[in-house]
Amino acid sequence: MRFIAYIFALLAGMALSFEGAIYGELGKNIGKLETSFYNFIVGAIILGLLWLFFGKGNLSYAIKAPKWSLLGGVLGVVYLTAIVISIPFVGVGITMVAVILGQLIMSMVIEHFGWLGTNKVKINREKVLAVISMMIALILVN
């Protein structure tokens, strides 16, 4: 099962690169904020249909959920809009390496302190070396 999760994560990363390239180009034509808006409108329609036919959860729980857990939508807008803005200037590859580097750094901090309900996983030398290696890669690719 763990292997399948890795494959899904790998495919998600590939999809994000395609999405970034597509939306970088769309942003040049219709505007950056308009592109993000388009993404979320189309996504809401598709997810609404999937939810209507296949949803088994309890959406009404969102009212009772911890308020911090509802920030994902805001962060999604920040993430996508930053990508739409960055790609025309630095390209898909550099943007995605920077995104992955940011994700790696923040995920290490979140796990180190056990924030947001995660298990505590201490930052170690290997993780620091991985971040430094990615920073070097980002500089070299740029």
Side-chain angles (χ1 to χ4, degrees), residues 25-133:
E25 188 61 28
L26 186 62
K28 291 180 199 173
N29 295 307
I30 69 170
K32 291 164 183 21
L33 292 177
E34 292 79 2
T35 297
S36 289
F37 182 73
Y38 169 80
N39 173 79
F40 288 102
I41 288 293
V42 170
I45 292 168
I46 292 169
L47 282 172
L49 290 171
L50 289 171
W51 171 66
L52 183 64
F53 292 106
F54 303 108
K56 294 187 180 9
N58 185 359
L59 192 57
S60 66
Y61 178 75
I63 297 169
K64 300 173 191 167
K67 298 308 172 218
W68 62 264
S69 68
L70 302 176
L71 289 175
V74 174
L75 295 174
V77 170
V78 171
Y79 166 76
L80 181 67
T81 304
I83 286 176
V84 170
I85 291 169
S86 298
I87 284 178
F89 292 105
V90 297
V92 176
I94 292 173
T95 298
M96 290 302 154
V97 170
V99 165
I100 292 167
L101 183 56
Q103 289 174 333
L104 183 59
I105 292 168
M106 198 66 232
S107 65
M108 285 173 28
V109 171
I110 289 168
E111 287 182 339
H112 180 78
F113 292 106
W115 292 344
L116 308 173
T118 64
N119 293 328
K120 282 189 177 187
V121 179
K122 296 292 181 191
I123 294 175
N124 59 31
R125 184 180 337 170
E126 290 80 11
K127 290 179 181 182
V128 172
L129 288 173
V131 168
I132 291 170
S133 297

